Amino acid sequence: MRIPVCLYHGVELGRYSFGDAHPFGPRRLGAFWDEVQRQGLDRQVCMCAPVTAEQSVIERFHTPEYVARVKAQSKHGVGFLDAGDTPAFIGVYEAASIVIGTTLDAVARILRGDCRRAFVPIAGLHHARRDSAAGFCVFNDCGVAIETLRAEHGVRRIAYVDIDAHHGDGVFYAFEDDPDLIFADLHEDGRYLYPGTGHAEETGRGAATGSKLNIPMPPGADDAQFLLQWPRVEALLRAARPEFIVLQCGADSLADDPITHMAYSAASHAHAAERLCRLADEYCQGRLLALGGGGYNLDNIAAAWTAVLRALIES
Ligand SMILES: [Zn+2]
Protein backbone atom coordinates (compact mmCIF):
# COMPACT_ATOMS: atom_id res chain seq x y z
CA MET A 1 0.00 0.00 0.00
CA ARG A 2 1.26 3.43 -0.89
CA ILE A 3 1.86 5.75 2.04
CA PRO A 4 -0.56 8.64 1.58
CA VAL A 5 -0.08 12.29 0.83
CA CYS A 6 -1.60 14.67 3.36
CA LEU A 7 -3.62 17.58 1.94
CA TYR A 8 -4.83 20.38 4.17
CA HIS A 9 -8.20 22.02 3.62
CA GLY A 10 -10.66 24.00 5.72
CA VAL A 11 -12.34 27.38 5.97
CA GLU A 12 -9.85 28.43 8.64
CA LEU A 13 -7.03 28.43 6.06
CA GLY A 14 -9.09 30.65 3.77
CA ARG A 15 -9.27 33.32 6.47
CA TYR A 16 -5.74 34.28 5.54
CA SER A 17 -6.85 36.76 2.87
CA PHE A 18 -6.81 40.53 2.48
CA GLY A 19 -10.24 40.99 0.93
CA ASP A 20 -11.79 41.08 -2.54
CA ALA A 21 -9.95 44.19 -3.69
CA HIS A 22 -6.52 42.70 -2.85
CA PRO A 23 -4.61 40.24 -5.09
CA PHE A 24 -4.30 37.85 -2.11
CA GLY A 25 -8.09 37.55 -1.95
CA PRO A 26 -10.56 35.13 -0.39
CA ARG A 27 -11.23 33.04 -3.52
CA ARG A 28 -7.76 31.51 -3.86
CA LEU A 29 -8.37 28.47 -1.65
CA GLY A 30 -11.72 27.71 -3.26
CA ALA A 31 -10.28 27.92 -6.77
CA PHE A 32 -7.78 25.22 -5.85
CA TRP A 33 -10.25 23.09 -3.92
CA ASP A 34 -12.81 23.07 -6.75
CA GLU A 35 -10.15 21.74 -9.12
CA VAL A 36 -8.96 19.16 -6.58
CA GLN A 37 -12.50 17.79 -6.41
CA ARG A 38 -13.02 18.01 -10.16
CA GLN A 39 -9.94 15.82 -10.70
CA GLY A 40 -10.89 13.50 -7.83
CA LEU A 41 -7.57 14.13 -6.08
CA ASP A 42 -9.29 14.55 -2.71
CA ARG A 43 -10.08 10.82 -2.82
CA GLN A 44 -6.42 9.91 -3.28
CA VAL A 45 -5.00 11.78 -0.29
CA CYS A 46 -5.36 11.87 3.47
CA MET A 47 -7.43 15.01 4.14
CA CYS A 48 -6.23 17.01 7.15
CA ALA A 49 -7.74 19.99 8.97
CA PRO A 50 -5.97 23.29 9.64
CA VAL A 51 -4.28 23.74 13.02
CA THR A 52 -3.46 26.93 14.91
CA ALA A 53 0.01 27.71 16.30
CA GLU A 54 0.88 28.98 19.77
CA GLN A 55 2.70 32.30 20.02
CA SER A 56 5.87 30.63 21.36
CA VAL A 57 6.02 28.49 18.22
CA ILE A 58 5.79 31.54 15.92
CA GLU A 59 8.64 33.05 17.94
CA ARG A 60 10.96 30.22 16.88
CA PHE A 61 11.48 32.39 13.78
CA HIS A 62 9.95 35.80 14.51
CA THR A 63 10.98 38.32 17.16
CA PRO A 64 8.60 38.60 20.15
CA GLU A 65 8.33 42.35 19.49
CA TYR A 66 7.06 41.78 15.96
CA VAL A 67 4.63 39.05 17.01
CA ALA A 68 3.25 41.37 19.71
CA ARG A 69 2.79 44.14 17.13
CA VAL A 70 0.77 41.86 14.81
CA LYS A 71 -1.33 40.77 17.77
CA ALA A 72 -2.03 44.40 18.72
CA GLN A 73 -2.90 45.49 15.17
CA SER A 74 -5.12 42.42 14.80
CA LYS A 75 -7.48 43.80 17.45
CA HIS A 76 -8.48 46.95 15.57
CA GLY A 77 -7.47 45.89 12.04
CA VAL A 78 -6.37 49.34 10.90
CA GLY A 79 -3.36 50.31 8.78
CA PHE A 80 -0.63 48.16 7.32
CA LEU A 81 1.77 45.61 8.79
CA ASP A 82 4.48 46.76 6.36
CA ALA A 83 5.03 49.80 4.13
CA GLY A 84 1.77 49.27 2.22
CA ASP A 85 1.42 45.79 0.70
CA THR A 86 0.13 43.86 3.69
CA PRO A 87 -2.92 45.41 5.35
CA ALA A 88 -3.93 44.60 8.92
CA PHE A 89 -7.44 43.25 9.42
CA ILE A 90 -9.36 42.17 12.48
CA GLY A 91 -8.21 38.62 13.19
CA VAL A 92 -5.04 38.80 11.07
CA TYR A 93 -2.99 37.40 13.95
CA GLU A 94 -5.26 34.38 14.28
CA ALA A 95 -5.40 33.84 10.51
CA ALA A 96 -1.61 34.00 10.18
CA SER A 97 -1.22 31.68 13.20
CA ILE A 98 -3.33 29.08 11.40
CA VAL A 99 -1.00 29.14 8.40
CA ILE A 100 1.95 28.52 10.74
CA GLY A 101 0.18 25.81 12.71
CA THR A 102 -0.96 24.01 9.58
CA THR A 103 2.48 24.00 7.98
CA LEU A 104 3.94 22.68 11.25
CA ASP A 105 1.29 19.98 11.50
CA ALA A 106 2.30 18.87 8.02
CA VAL A 107 5.97 18.78 9.09
CA ALA A 108 5.07 16.70 12.16
CA ARG A 109 2.97 14.22 10.19
CA ILE A 110 5.76 13.73 7.65
CA LEU A 111 8.34 13.22 10.42
CA ARG A 112 6.07 10.75 12.23
CA GLY A 113 5.68 8.79 9.03
CA ASP A 114 1.93 9.36 8.77
CA CYS A 115 2.69 10.36 5.17
CA ARG A 116 5.72 10.89 2.96
CA ARG A 117 4.59 14.18 1.45
CA ALA A 118 2.14 16.93 2.31
CA PHE A 119 0.60 19.94 0.56
CA VAL A 120 -0.61 23.09 2.30
CA PRO A 121 -2.27 25.45 -0.21
CA ILE A 122 -2.44 28.71 1.76
CA ALA A 123 1.18 28.78 2.98
CA GLY A 124 4.70 29.45 1.73
CA LEU A 125 4.63 33.07 2.95
CA HIS A 126 8.25 33.58 1.98
CA HIS A 127 8.63 37.37 2.21
CA ALA A 128 8.01 37.92 5.93
CA ARG A 129 11.20 38.77 7.82
CA ARG A 130 12.00 37.83 11.38
CA ASP A 131 10.93 41.29 12.53
CA SER A 132 8.43 42.46 9.92
CA ALA A 133 5.68 41.64 7.46
CA ALA A 134 6.35 42.02 3.73
CA GLY A 135 4.66 41.35 0.39
CA PHE A 136 1.33 39.89 1.64
CA CYS A 137 3.22 37.72 4.16
CA VAL A 138 2.53 38.23 7.88
CA PHE A 139 4.32 35.25 9.44
CA ASN A 140 6.85 33.21 7.48
CA ASP A 141 5.71 29.59 7.78
CA CYS A 142 8.72 28.44 5.73
CA GLY A 143 11.07 30.01 8.27
CA VAL A 144 9.14 28.66 11.27
CA ALA A 145 9.12 25.20 9.66
CA ILE A 146 12.91 25.27 9.18
CA GLU A 147 13.50 26.36 12.79
CA THR A 148 11.03 23.73 14.01
CA LEU A 149 12.59 20.91 11.97
CA ARG A 150 15.82 21.68 13.78
CA ALA A 151 14.57 22.44 17.28
CA GLU A 152 11.87 19.80 17.59
CA HIS A 153 12.77 17.07 15.12
CA GLY A 154 16.58 17.12 14.98
CA VAL A 155 16.57 17.61 11.21
CA ARG A 156 19.44 19.95 10.42
CA ARG A 157 20.13 19.85 6.69
CA ILE A 158 17.11 21.18 4.83
CA ALA A 159 16.62 22.06 1.17
CA TYR A 160 14.26 24.94 0.37
CA VAL A 161 13.30 25.21 -3.32
CA ASP A 162 11.21 28.18 -4.47
CA ILE A 163 9.63 28.51 -7.95
CA ASP A 164 7.28 31.40 -7.09
CA ALA A 165 7.74 34.40 -9.44
CA HIS A 166 9.06 36.44 -6.52
CA HIS A 167 12.38 35.88 -4.78
CA GLY A 168 12.02 34.15 -1.40
CA ASP A 169 13.88 36.95 0.36
CA GLY A 170 12.41 36.28 3.81
CA VAL A 171 13.91 32.79 3.79
CA PHE A 172 17.10 33.71 1.94
CA TYR A 173 18.26 36.52 4.20
CA ALA A 174 17.25 34.74 7.42
CA PHE A 175 19.52 31.82 6.54
CA GLU A 176 22.08 33.52 4.31
CA ASP A 177 24.98 32.51 6.56
CA ASP A 178 23.63 29.05 7.38
CA PRO A 179 25.47 26.33 5.43
CA ASP A 180 22.84 23.68 6.30
CA LEU A 181 19.96 25.56 4.66
CA ILE A 182 20.25 24.61 1.02
CA PHE A 183 18.39 27.28 -0.94
CA ALA A 184 17.45 27.26 -4.63
CA ASP A 185 15.18 29.94 -6.07
CA LEU A 186 14.12 30.60 -9.67
CA HIS A 187 12.33 33.94 -9.82
CA GLU A 188 11.64 36.88 -12.09
CA ASP A 189 14.71 39.12 -12.24
CA GLY A 190 14.59 41.67 -9.42
CA ARG A 191 15.10 44.53 -11.83
CA TYR A 192 11.52 43.99 -13.01
CA LEU A 193 9.69 42.62 -9.97
CA TYR A 194 9.29 42.91 -6.20
CA PRO A 195 11.26 42.42 -3.97
CA GLY A 196 14.21 43.30 -6.22
CA THR A 197 16.61 40.80 -4.62
CA GLY A 198 17.99 37.36 -5.51
CA HIS A 199 20.93 38.22 -7.74
CA ALA A 200 22.94 35.35 -9.19
CA GLU A 201 25.94 36.52 -7.15
CA GLU A 202 24.04 35.95 -3.90
CA THR A 203 25.25 32.43 -3.07
CA GLY A 204 25.38 32.61 0.72
CA ARG A 205 27.82 34.25 3.13
CA GLY A 206 30.91 33.01 4.97
CA ALA A 207 30.78 29.27 5.63
CA ALA A 208 27.47 29.17 3.75
CA THR A 209 28.96 30.36 0.47
CA GLY A 210 27.80 28.02 -2.27
CA SER A 211 24.82 26.66 -0.33
CA LYS A 212 22.45 29.08 -2.06
CA LEU A 213 21.41 29.28 -5.70
CA ASN A 214 19.57 32.31 -7.03
CA ILE A 215 18.47 32.13 -10.66
CA PRO A 216 16.92 35.39 -11.91
CA MET A 217 14.72 34.68 -14.94
CA PRO A 218 13.92 37.27 -17.63
CA PRO A 219 10.34 38.57 -17.81
CA GLY A 220 8.37 36.28 -20.13
CA ALA A 221 10.45 33.20 -19.26
CA ASP A 222 8.59 30.04 -20.35
CA ASP A 223 8.71 26.30 -19.63
CA ALA A 224 11.68 25.80 -21.97
CA GLN A 225 13.72 28.38 -20.05
CA PHE A 226 12.63 26.83 -16.75
CA LEU A 227 13.67 23.35 -17.89
CA LEU A 228 17.01 24.68 -19.07
CA GLN A 229 17.83 26.06 -15.61
CA TRP A 230 16.23 23.32 -13.49
CA PRO A 231 19.16 20.84 -13.55
CA ARG A 232 21.20 23.39 -11.57
CA VAL A 233 18.71 23.00 -8.71
CA GLU A 234 19.07 19.22 -8.76
CA ALA A 235 22.86 19.44 -8.89
CA LEU A 236 22.91 21.66 -5.81
CA LEU A 237 20.63 19.31 -3.88
CA ARG A 238 22.51 16.18 -4.90
CA ALA A 239 25.80 17.68 -3.76
CA ALA A 240 24.26 18.84 -0.47
CA ARG A 241 22.31 15.66 0.40
CA PRO A 242 19.51 17.26 2.42
CA GLU A 243 17.38 15.37 4.97
CA PHE A 244 14.11 17.15 4.15
CA ILE A 245 12.82 19.16 1.16
CA VAL A 246 10.46 22.15 1.23
CA LEU A 247 8.98 23.27 -2.11
CA GLN A 248 7.38 26.70 -2.33
CA CYS A 249 5.36 26.32 -5.55
CA GLY A 250 3.87 29.78 -6.07
CA ALA A 251 1.50 29.87 -9.06
CA ASP A 252 2.34 33.47 -9.94
CA SER A 253 5.12 32.31 -12.27
CA LEU A 254 2.50 31.03 -14.76
CA ALA A 255 1.50 33.15 -17.79
CA ASP A 256 -1.22 35.78 -17.23
CA ASP A 257 -0.65 36.37 -13.55
CA PRO A 258 -1.91 39.92 -12.92
CA ILE A 259 1.12 41.10 -10.91
CA THR A 260 4.12 39.33 -12.49
CA HIS A 261 5.49 38.88 -16.03
CA MET A 262 6.42 35.21 -16.23
CA ALA A 263 5.10 32.67 -18.73
CA TYR A 264 5.46 29.14 -17.36
CA SER A 265 2.65 26.62 -17.66
CA ALA A 266 1.70 24.18 -14.90
CA ALA A 267 4.09 21.73 -16.58
CA SER A 268 7.02 23.53 -14.92
CA HIS A 269 5.42 23.05 -11.53
CA ALA A 270 4.71 19.40 -12.27
CA HIS A 271 8.31 18.87 -13.36
CA ALA A 272 9.75 20.52 -10.25
CA ALA A 273 7.50 18.48 -7.95
CA GLU A 274 8.19 15.17 -9.72
CA ARG A 275 11.92 15.66 -9.71
CA LEU A 276 12.01 16.81 -6.08
CA CYS A 277 9.95 13.77 -5.04
CA ARG A 278 12.59 11.61 -6.68
CA LEU A 279 15.37 13.44 -4.82
CA ALA A 280 13.39 13.19 -1.59
CA ASP A 281 13.18 9.42 -2.07
CA GLU A 282 16.92 9.23 -2.69
CA TYR A 283 18.13 11.42 0.16
CA CYS A 284 15.28 12.25 2.55
CA GLN A 285 13.31 9.05 3.11
CA GLY A 286 10.72 10.58 0.80
CA ARG A 287 10.09 13.58 3.04
CA LEU A 288 8.80 16.55 1.03
CA LEU A 289 6.53 19.41 2.05
CA ALA A 290 4.91 21.55 -0.67
CA LEU A 291 3.58 25.02 0.20
CA GLY A 292 1.26 26.89 -2.18
CA GLY A 293 2.92 30.31 -2.14
CA GLY A 294 1.74 33.16 -4.37
CA GLY A 295 -0.54 33.16 -7.40
CA TYR A 296 -3.15 35.77 -8.23
CA ASN A 297 -4.85 34.30 -11.29
CA LEU A 298 -7.41 31.78 -9.99
CA ASP A 299 -7.15 29.46 -13.01
CA ASN A 300 -3.38 29.35 -12.59
CA ILE A 301 -3.69 28.55 -8.90
CA ALA A 302 -5.99 25.64 -9.76
CA ALA A 303 -3.70 24.34 -12.51
CA ALA A 304 -0.31 24.76 -10.84
CA TRP A 305 -1.20 23.52 -7.37
CA THR A 306 -3.13 20.48 -8.58
CA ALA A 307 -0.19 19.66 -10.89
CA VAL A 308 2.05 19.64 -7.83
CA LEU A 309 -0.43 17.65 -5.76
CA ARG A 310 -0.81 15.09 -8.54
CA ALA A 311 2.97 14.72 -8.76
CA LEU A 312 3.12 14.13 -4.99
CA ILE A 313 0.42 11.46 -5.26
CA GLU A 314 1.81 9.68 -8.33
CA SER A 315 5.50 9.81 -7.41
ZN1 LIG B 1 4.99 35.46 -5.54
PDB file of all heavy atoms in Angstrom, residues 5 31 48 60 63 107 111 131 135 152 165 198 210 212 231 241 273 284 300 305-306:
ATOM      1  N   VAL A   5      -0.433  10.866   0.817  1.00  0.00           N
ATOM      2  CA  VAL A   5      -0.080  12.286   0.826  1.00  0.00           C
ATOM      3  C   VAL A   5      -1.114  12.994   1.689  1.00  0.00           C
ATOM      4  O   VAL A   5      -2.310  12.724   1.583  1.00  0.00           O
ATOM      5  CB  VAL A   5      -0.135  12.851  -0.607  1.00  0.00           C
ATOM      6  CG1 VAL A   5       0.028  14.356  -0.619  1.00  0.00           C
ATOM      7  CG2 VAL A   5       0.917  12.178  -1.484  1.00  0.00           C
ATOM      8  N   ALA A  31     -10.649  28.203  -5.378  1.00  0.00           N
ATOM      9  CA  ALA A  31     -10.277  27.919  -6.770  1.00  0.00           C
ATOM     10  C   ALA A  31      -9.481  26.625  -6.848  1.00  0.00           C
ATOM     11  O   ALA A  31      -9.691  25.786  -7.740  1.00  0.00           O
ATOM     12  CB  ALA A  31      -9.461  29.087  -7.340  1.00  0.00           C
ATOM     13  N   CYS A  48      -6.569  16.559   5.796  1.00  0.00           N
ATOM     14  CA  CYS A  48      -6.233  17.010   7.151  1.00  0.00           C
ATOM     15  C   CYS A  48      -6.794  18.418   7.368  1.00  0.00           C
ATOM     16  O   CYS A  48      -6.884  19.209   6.428  1.00  0.00           O
ATOM     17  CB  CYS A  48      -4.731  17.048   7.346  1.00  0.00           C
ATOM     18  SG  CYS A  48      -3.930  15.445   7.116  1.00  0.00           S
ATOM     19  N   ARG A  60       9.753  30.982  17.261  1.00  0.00           N
ATOM     20  CA  ARG A  60      10.961  30.225  16.876  1.00  0.00           C
ATOM     21  C   ARG A  60      11.665  30.919  15.712  1.00  0.00           C
ATOM     22  O   ARG A  60      12.854  30.774  15.524  1.00  0.00           O
ATOM     23  CB  ARG A  60      10.587  28.798  16.457  1.00  0.00           C
ATOM     24  CG  ARG A  60      10.232  27.904  17.611  1.00  0.00           C
ATOM     25  CD  ARG A  60       9.850  26.505  17.137  1.00  0.00           C
ATOM     26  NE  ARG A  60       9.230  25.775  18.230  1.00  0.00           N
ATOM     27  CZ  ARG A  60       8.301  24.828  18.084  1.00  0.00           C
ATOM     28  NH1 ARG A  60       7.907  24.482  16.873  1.00  0.00           N
ATOM     29  NH2 ARG A  60       7.788  24.226  19.126  1.00  0.00           N
ATOM     30  N   THR A  63      10.653  37.667  15.891  1.00  0.00           N
ATOM     31  CA  THR A  63      10.982  38.315  17.159  1.00  0.00           C
ATOM     32  C   THR A  63       9.705  38.514  17.975  1.00  0.00           C
ATOM     33  O   THR A  63       8.636  38.783  17.412  1.00  0.00           O
ATOM     34  CB  THR A  63      11.639  39.696  16.930  1.00  0.00           C
ATOM     35  OG1 THR A  63      10.690  40.555  16.260  1.00  0.00           O
ATOM     36  CG2 THR A  63      12.897  39.580  16.077  1.00  0.00           C
ATOM     37  N   VAL A 107       4.596  19.202   8.775  1.00  0.00           N
ATOM     38  CA  VAL A 107       5.969  18.777   9.090  1.00  0.00           C
ATOM     39  C   VAL A 107       5.931  17.607  10.072  1.00  0.00           C
ATOM     40  O   VAL A 107       6.602  16.589   9.871  1.00  0.00           O
ATOM     41  CB  VAL A 107       6.776  19.957   9.701  1.00  0.00           C
ATOM     42  CG1 VAL A 107       8.075  19.461  10.332  1.00  0.00           C
ATOM     43  CG2 VAL A 107       7.068  21.012   8.641  1.00  0.00           C
ATOM     44  N   LEU A 111       7.280  13.763   9.563  1.00  0.00           N
ATOM     45  CA  LEU A 111       8.338  13.224  10.422  1.00  0.00           C
ATOM     46  C   LEU A 111       7.880  11.975  11.179  1.00  0.00           C
ATOM     47  O   LEU A 111       8.665  11.077  11.424  1.00  0.00           O
ATOM     48  CB  LEU A 111       8.806  14.299  11.414  1.00  0.00           C
ATOM     49  CG  LEU A 111       9.983  15.178  10.986  1.00  0.00           C
ATOM     50  CD1 LEU A 111      11.280  14.385  11.024  1.00  0.00           C
ATOM     51  CD2 LEU A 111       9.807  15.792   9.620  1.00  0.00           C
ATOM     52  N   ASP A 131      11.465  40.169  11.750  1.00  0.00           N
ATOM     53  CA  ASP A 131      10.926  41.286  12.528  1.00  0.00           C
ATOM     54  C   ASP A 131       9.940  42.149  11.746  1.00  0.00           C
ATOM     55  O   ASP A 131       9.649  43.262  12.156  1.00  0.00           O
ATOM     56  CB  ASP A 131      12.071  42.150  13.054  1.00  0.00           C
ATOM     57  CG  ASP A 131      12.901  42.736  11.915  1.00  0.00           C
ATOM     58  OD1 ASP A 131      12.657  42.384  10.731  1.00  0.00           O
ATOM     59  OD2 ASP A 131      13.787  43.555  12.202  1.00  0.00           O
ATOM     60  N   GLY A 135       5.213  41.991   1.591  1.00  0.00           N
ATOM     61  CA  GLY A 135       4.659  41.352   0.394  1.00  0.00           C
ATOM     62  C   GLY A 135       3.565  40.339   0.645  1.00  0.00           C
ATOM     63  O   GLY A 135       3.653  39.205   0.168  1.00  0.00           O
ATOM     64  N   GLU A 152      12.782  20.823  17.074  1.00  0.00           N
ATOM     65  CA  GLU A 152      11.869  19.798  17.589  1.00  0.00           C
ATOM     66  C   GLU A 152      12.114  18.417  17.003  1.00  0.00           C
ATOM     67  O   GLU A 152      11.756  17.414  17.599  1.00  0.00           O
ATOM     68  CB  GLU A 152      10.414  20.196  17.289  1.00  0.00           C
ATOM     69  CG  GLU A 152       9.987  21.508  17.904  1.00  0.00           C
ATOM     70  CD  GLU A 152       9.950  21.435  19.427  1.00  0.00           C
ATOM     71  OE1 GLU A 152       9.293  20.521  19.959  1.00  0.00           O
ATOM     72  OE2 GLU A 152      10.596  22.284  20.065  1.00  0.00           O
ATOM     73  N   ALA A 165       7.158  33.343  -8.591  1.00  0.00           N
ATOM     74  CA  ALA A 165       7.740  34.396  -9.439  1.00  0.00           C
ATOM     75  C   ALA A 165       8.620  35.353  -8.641  1.00  0.00           C
ATOM     76  O   ALA A 165       9.544  35.958  -9.180  1.00  0.00           O
ATOM     77  CB  ALA A 165       6.633  35.184 -10.131  1.00  0.00           C
ATOM     78  N   GLY A 198      17.781  38.684  -4.925  1.00  0.00           N
ATOM     79  CA  GLY A 198      17.987  37.357  -5.511  1.00  0.00           C
ATOM     80  C   GLY A 198      18.888  37.383  -6.727  1.00  0.00           C
ATOM     81  O   GLY A 198      18.628  36.712  -7.729  1.00  0.00           O
ATOM     82  N   GLY A 210      28.004  29.171  -1.383  1.00  0.00           N
ATOM     83  CA  GLY A 210      27.801  28.019  -2.271  1.00  0.00           C
ATOM     84  C   GLY A 210      26.601  27.163  -1.890  1.00  0.00           C
ATOM     85  O   GLY A 210      26.211  26.279  -2.652  1.00  0.00           O
ATOM     86  N   LYS A 212      23.635  28.400  -1.548  1.00  0.00           N
ATOM     87  CA  LYS A 212      22.448  29.083  -2.060  1.00  0.00           C
ATOM     88  C   LYS A 212      22.581  29.283  -3.575  1.00  0.00           C
ATOM     89  O   LYS A 212      23.666  29.601  -4.067  1.00  0.00           O
ATOM     90  CB  LYS A 212      22.284  30.463  -1.395  1.00  0.00           C
ATOM     91  CG  LYS A 212      22.492  30.495   0.119  1.00  0.00           C
ATOM     92  CD  LYS A 212      21.327  29.918   0.888  1.00  0.00           C
ATOM     93  CE  LYS A 212      21.521  30.073   2.390  1.00  0.00           C
ATOM     94  NZ  LYS A 212      22.281  28.972   3.015  1.00  0.00           N
ATOM     95  N   PRO A 231      18.108  21.778 -13.988  1.00  0.00           N
ATOM     96  CA  PRO A 231      19.157  20.838 -13.553  1.00  0.00           C
ATOM     97  C   PRO A 231      20.138  21.434 -12.550  1.00  0.00           C
ATOM     98  O   PRO A 231      20.730  20.703 -11.752  1.00  0.00           O
ATOM     99  CB  PRO A 231      19.855  20.462 -14.872  1.00  0.00           C
ATOM    100  CG  PRO A 231      18.803  20.653 -15.917  1.00  0.00           C
ATOM    101  CD  PRO A 231      18.011  21.841 -15.460  1.00  0.00           C
ATOM    102  N   ARG A 241      22.955  16.787  -0.281  1.00  0.00           N
ATOM    103  CA  ARG A 241      22.314  15.658   0.396  1.00  0.00           C
ATOM    104  C   ARG A 241      21.462  16.094   1.603  1.00  0.00           C
ATOM    105  O   ARG A 241      21.768  15.792   2.751  1.00  0.00           O
ATOM    106  CB  ARG A 241      23.363  14.642   0.848  1.00  0.00           C
ATOM    107  CG  ARG A 241      24.288  14.178  -0.260  1.00  0.00           C
ATOM    108  CD  ARG A 241      25.329  13.201   0.233  1.00  0.00           C
ATOM    109  NE  ARG A 241      24.750  11.899   0.523  1.00  0.00           N
ATOM    110  CZ  ARG A 241      24.597  10.918  -0.381  1.00  0.00           C
ATOM    111  NH1 ARG A 241      24.991  11.104  -1.622  1.00  0.00           N
ATOM    112  NH2 ARG A 241      24.056   9.781  -0.038  1.00  0.00           N
ATOM    113  N   ALA A 273       8.007  19.356  -9.022  1.00  0.00           N
ATOM    114  CA  ALA A 273       7.498  18.482  -7.953  1.00  0.00           C
ATOM    115  C   ALA A 273       7.914  17.029  -8.185  1.00  0.00           C
ATOM    116  O   ALA A 273       8.358  16.348  -7.255  1.00  0.00           O
ATOM    117  CB  ALA A 273       5.978  18.606  -7.863  1.00  0.00           C
ATOM    118  N   CYS A 284      16.043  11.740   1.399  1.00  0.00           N
ATOM    119  CA  CYS A 284      15.282  12.253   2.552  1.00  0.00           C
ATOM    120  C   CYS A 284      14.212  11.272   3.043  1.00  0.00           C
ATOM    121  O   CYS A 284      13.251  11.720   3.678  1.00  0.00           O
ATOM    122  CB  CYS A 284      14.602  13.574   2.194  1.00  0.00           C
ATOM    123  SG  CYS A 284      15.609  14.739   1.285  1.00  0.00           S
ATOM    124  N   ASN A 300      -4.765  29.793 -12.752  1.00  0.00           N
ATOM    125  CA  ASN A 300      -3.381  29.349 -12.595  1.00  0.00           C
ATOM    126  C   ASN A 300      -3.161  28.656 -11.257  1.00  0.00           C
ATOM    127  O   ASN A 300      -2.415  27.676 -11.169  1.00  0.00           O
ATOM    128  CB  ASN A 300      -2.417  30.530 -12.709  1.00  0.00           C
ATOM    129  CG  ASN A 300      -2.272  31.025 -14.132  1.00  0.00           C
ATOM    130  OD1 ASN A 300      -2.759  30.386 -15.069  1.00  0.00           O
ATOM    131  ND2 ASN A 300      -1.642  32.169 -14.301  1.00  0.00           N
ATOM    132  N   TRP A 305      -1.217  24.242  -8.651  1.00  0.00           N
ATOM    133  CA  TRP A 305      -1.204  23.523  -7.370  1.00  0.00           C
ATOM    134  C   TRP A 305      -1.710  22.092  -7.531  1.00  0.00           C
ATOM    135  O   TRP A 305      -1.188  21.185  -6.887  1.00  0.00           O
ATOM    136  CB  TRP A 305      -2.018  24.268  -6.318  1.00  0.00           C
ATOM    137  CG  TRP A 305      -1.383  25.565  -5.880  1.00  0.00           C
ATOM    138  CD1 TRP A 305      -0.160  26.052  -6.243  1.00  0.00           C
ATOM    139  CD2 TRP A 305      -1.955  26.536  -4.989  1.00  0.00           C
ATOM    140  NE1 TRP A 305       0.057  27.262  -5.633  1.00  0.00           N
ATOM    141  CE2 TRP A 305      -1.013  27.586  -4.863  1.00  0.00           C
ATOM    142  CE3 TRP A 305      -3.167  26.633  -4.292  1.00  0.00           C
ATOM    143  CZ2 TRP A 305      -1.246  28.703  -4.056  1.00  0.00           C
ATOM    144  CZ3 TRP A 305      -3.417  27.740  -3.491  1.00  0.00           C
ATOM    145  CH2 TRP A 305      -2.459  28.763  -3.379  1.00  0.00           C
ATOM    146  N   THR A 306      -2.704  21.872  -8.393  1.00  0.00           N
ATOM    147  CA  THR A 306      -3.128  20.479  -8.583  1.00  0.00           C
ATOM    148  C   THR A 306      -2.064  19.683  -9.350  1.00  0.00           C
ATOM    149  O   THR A 306      -1.924  18.476  -9.120  1.00  0.00           O
ATOM    150  CB  THR A 306      -4.487  20.369  -9.321  1.00  0.00           C
ATOM    151  OG1 THR A 306      -4.426  21.093 -10.549  1.00  0.00           O
ATOM    152  CG2 THR A 306      -5.633  20.860  -8.460  1.00  0.00           C
TER     153      THR A 306
END
